[in-house]
Amino acid sequence: MPHAAWPVDPGMIAPFLAAIILIELTPGPNMAYLAALSAAHGRRAGLMAVAGVTCGLSVYMLAAVFGLTEVFLRYRPLYEVLRWAGVAYLLWMAYDAWRSASDAEAADVRQPSRWVLFRRGLLANLLNPKAALFYVTLLPGFIKADHAPPTTQVLILGLVHIAISVGIHGGIVLGADRAASLLDRARGQVWISRGLAFALVVVAAWMVWETRQRS
């Protein structure tokens, strides 16, 4: 019998929250980038990147509402294009971070513009195949036929996911900014930028392995 009072299955809420928290706390492109960016340039820069990441998640969530994310399951070459574009973008950001370290050594440090920070966060998430696959493979498992229409359930659960991601990403930004302030951000900026470059290369390699096609 349909549970008209509940748009989503109440029994799925706790498992869904646990899954989302574990996913968001797993080291990945967003976490590494936001932490190093905030350490190097402060919480305002980090929060602008969070806004971009959040918009990227919102795009995938809305695509899932209209059933568009399933295209990645039906057309594997399209997924591979997204996968390798994401890897290439991470490597480009690593190069840019290393170049920023060289500028810092030459006392030619320039704060990235808000638009640049927002755009990088947006693209980093749009080119993250794991963000797309979340809405293709994991989310459908929490959709139940005897509740609200599937599109409504996807929208509700997607908004919960975005809210949790904003909270976790915001916490990463504030924590990294605080740590950098205690350690003297100005003196450590060169090493922070180089650390970001190294971390992004490692994350790119991890993404190649983690998102590979399994037989």
Side-chain angles (χ1 to χ4, degrees):
M1 180 177 181
H3 300 275
W6 293 93
V8 297
D9 185 350
M12 291 289 102
I13 294 176
F16 180 75
L17 291 176
I20 291 301
I21 292 172
L22 287 174
I23 289 172
E24 292 299 330
L25 289 178
T26 300
N30 292 339
M31 183 178 291
Y33 177 62
L34 292 173
L37 175 68
S38 303
H41 298 289
R43 64 176 178 271
R44 289 186 179 180
L47 291 175
M48 282 304 301
V50 169
V53 168
T54 303
C55 285
L57 281 177
S58 299
V59 169
Y60 279 124
M61 186 264 290
L62 292 175
V65 168
F66 294 103
L68 300 179
T69 49
E70 293 184 6
V71 71
F72 292 109
L73 286 180
R74 298 181 181 181
Y75 302 100
R76 184 70 193 190
L78 182 60
Y79 170 78
E80 288 296 325
V81 169
L82 175 67
R83 175 175 178 249
W84 287 107
V87 170
Y89 188 65
L90 286 173
L91 293 175
W92 180 87
M93 287 200 299
Y95 163 76
D96 188 65
W98 190 270
R99 186 180 59 182
S100 297
S102 300
D103 291 341
E105 284 187 317
D108 185 24
V109 181
R110 282 170 284 189
Q111 177 82 10
S113 69
R114 292 183 178 180
W115 164 243
V116 168
L117 295 167
F118 176 86
R119 184 185 64 201
R120 289 181 180 176
L122 173 65
L123 288 176
N125 208 76
L126 287 178
L127 296 176
N128 181 3
K130 292 185 73 66
L133 287 181
F134 165 78
Y135 286 99
V136 175
T137 60
L138 181 62
L139 188 60
F142 296 95
I143 305 301
K144 301 302 177 183
D146 57 347
H147 292 269
T151 54
T152 301
Q153 295 187 59
V154 170
L155 183 61
I156 293 172
L157 295 176
L159 289 173
V160 171
H161 173 214
I162 290 172
I164 291 175
S165 73
V166 169
I168 291 176
H169 291 156
I172 291 170
V173 166
L174 296 178
D177 173 64
R178 178 60 177 167
S181 297
L182 294 175
L183 297 173
D184 192 344
R185 177 182 290 112
R187 292 184 179 181
Q189 189 166 18
V190 172
W191 293 106
I192 290 173
S193 295
R194 286 180 176 169
L196 171 60
F198 177 76
L200 288 173
V201 170
V202 171
V203 170
W206 170 83
M207 182 181 288
V208 170
W209 175 261
E210 185 66 18
T211 60
R212 72 195 187 283
Q213 185 174 14
R214 296 176 174 85
S215 57

